Amino acid sequence: MQDAITTLINSSDTQGKYLDDASLERLQSYFRSGEIRARAATTISANASTLVTQAVARSLMYTDITAPGGNMYTCRRYAACIRDLDYFLRYATYAMLAGDPSILDERVLNGLRETYNSLGVPVGATIRAVQAMKDVVSDLLGAEAGKEMGVYFDYIASGLS
Amino acid sequence: MSIVTELILNADSEARYPAPKELRIFQDFLKTGEQRIRIARLLAENEQRIVQNGSARFWERVPVTPSNSGNPRKTASCQRDQGWYIRLIAYSILAGSEKPLEEIGTVGIKEMYNSLEIPLRNIVECMRCLKEEAVLLMSPEDAAEVVPYFDLIIRSLS
């Protein structure tokens, strides 16, 4: 995986250069965001299961998907769904701390759509749940940190579609 | 690899959120960003000076060495490598981790210079000279960040 620091180092190294002013400025704003990122991670980690519950309530719970014949019908499927949402939340939090989405590709998104398709998991409903999670996380964290987390939920959603 | 990536991969290997202690380390590291950027800039701006003065110092101590053999091509490539090590140290300072320096510049360093038939003892002495020159340019506080990386290069050569 990469983070905000190593992506800049790697791209400078392939050119054999020091980080230029533009890169150093980007680093500086990342360095300055440490407190807000750490606080967001603490809050999410303390509320992870509630956030998943709320995201499901907002997006999937009261639709046909939880009724007989739906893809979240049977406890086993329901459990698999909330487990995946739990993963999405945790990996989005990692990416937010890193200031870089590469860990989402490496550990979540690569092959996920194909896996879901072969298992018959509806991708559209999954994306709706990810977007609902973005909203409930933003409600909890407030605008600034919510916006930063939103970047990575959007990344998951677009990686699935 | 940076200190940030390290702690995230650690947490992920146990499928958990980063622990409070890890988040405190993360935050403390980011707080030192200004200093890291200052040091990286200083090394970038003074690379040539460190290499030139370091070479002069080095040739005084070790006159018989490829970079001082009168072959300008050898001198240039030795000094180019010296500049590269200063750049890699700047990367490691920014990352707060020895990993960039190791991954790019010290894994395989002995094998490479042995095959180039450059005496490792000479490179060690040269790195000491570069370190001494670099330290002259900075406050003791900044020097304390830089010195361990030069020492790591020296250690990996012996």
Side-chain angles (χ1 to χ4, degrees), chain A residues 76-130:
Chain A
R76 189 181 60 81
R77 283 177 168 171
Y78 194 102
C81 172
I82 56 177
R83 178 205 58 199
D84 283 7
L85 291 176
D86 224 26
Y87 285 167
F88 294 161
L89 180 60
R90 180 161 55 83
Y91 281 103
T93 308
Y94 291 159
M96 178 274 299
L97 283 172
D100 186 278
S102 64
I103 194 169
L104 294 173
D105 286 326
E106 285 171 29
R107 310 241 159 151
V108 180
L109 291 171
N110 282 346
L112 183 63
R113 193 154 51 97
E114 293 75 3
T115 307
Y116 277 177
N117 283 336
S118 79
L119 293 172
V121 176
V123 168
T126 311
I127 292 174
R128 278 202 299 286
V130 170

Side-chain angles (χ1 to χ4, degrees), chain B residues 13 30 42 54 69 77 88 91 111 114 127 130 138 145 152:
Chain B
S13 70
L30 266 62
L42 186 136
S69 62
S77 55
L88 301 186
Y91 293 165
E111 291 81 351
N114 271 330
M127 288 296 162
L130 295 178
M138 48 187 84
E145 284 293 317
L152 187 141

Side-chain angles (χ1 to χ4, degrees), chain A residues 3 17-18 91 94 107, chain B residues 2 5 12 16 41 47 91:
Chain A
D3 59 47
K17 286 189 175 145
Y18 288 86
Y91 281 103
Y94 291 159
R107 310 241 159 151
Chain B
S2 74
T5 294
D12 188 32
R16 57 170 174 78
R41 266 189 213 281
E47 181 196 288
Y91 293 165

Side-chain angles (χ1 to χ4, degrees), chain B residues 40-55:
Chain B
R41 266 189 213 281
L42 186 136
L43 290 174
E45 283 160 10
N46 293 284
E47 181 196 288
Q48 278 316 303
R49 181 169 160 193
I50 296 169
V51 169
Q52 291 304 330
N53 296 351
S55 286

Side-chain angles (χ1 to χ4, degrees), chain A residues 12-29:
Chain A
S12 301
D13 184 48
T14 53
Q15 305 171 59
K17 286 189 175 145
Y18 288 86
L19 276 70
D20 59 20
D21 283 341
S23 304
L24 287 176
E25 256 164 50
R26 278 165 61 194
L27 260 191
Q28 189 146 29
S29 64

Side-chain angles (χ1 to χ4, degrees), chain A residues 1 3 6 9 12-13 16-18 21 28 30-32 34-35 38 42 45 89-91 94 97 107, chain B residues 1-2 4-5 8-9 11-12 15-18 23 26-27 29-30 33-34 41 44 47 86-87 91 104:
Chain A
M1 70 167 280
D3 59 47
T6 56
I9 290 177
S12 301
D13 184 48
K17 286 189 175 145
Y18 288 86
D21 283 341
Q28 189 146 29
Y30 174 70
F31 283 142
R32 282 184 183 149
E35 199 186 323
T42 307
S45 133
L89 180 60
R90 180 161 55 83
Y91 281 103
Y94 291 159
L97 283 172
R107 310 241 159 151
Chain B
M1 181 76 87
S2 74
V4 175
T5 294
I8 291 172
L9 291 179
D12 188 32
R16 57 170 174 78
Y17 283 87
L23 288 172
F26 168 82
Q27 214 176 322
F29 166 68
L30 266 62
E34 303 272 333
R41 266 189 213 281
E47 181 196 288
I86 293 171
R87 177 166 55 83
Y91 293 165
I104 309 170

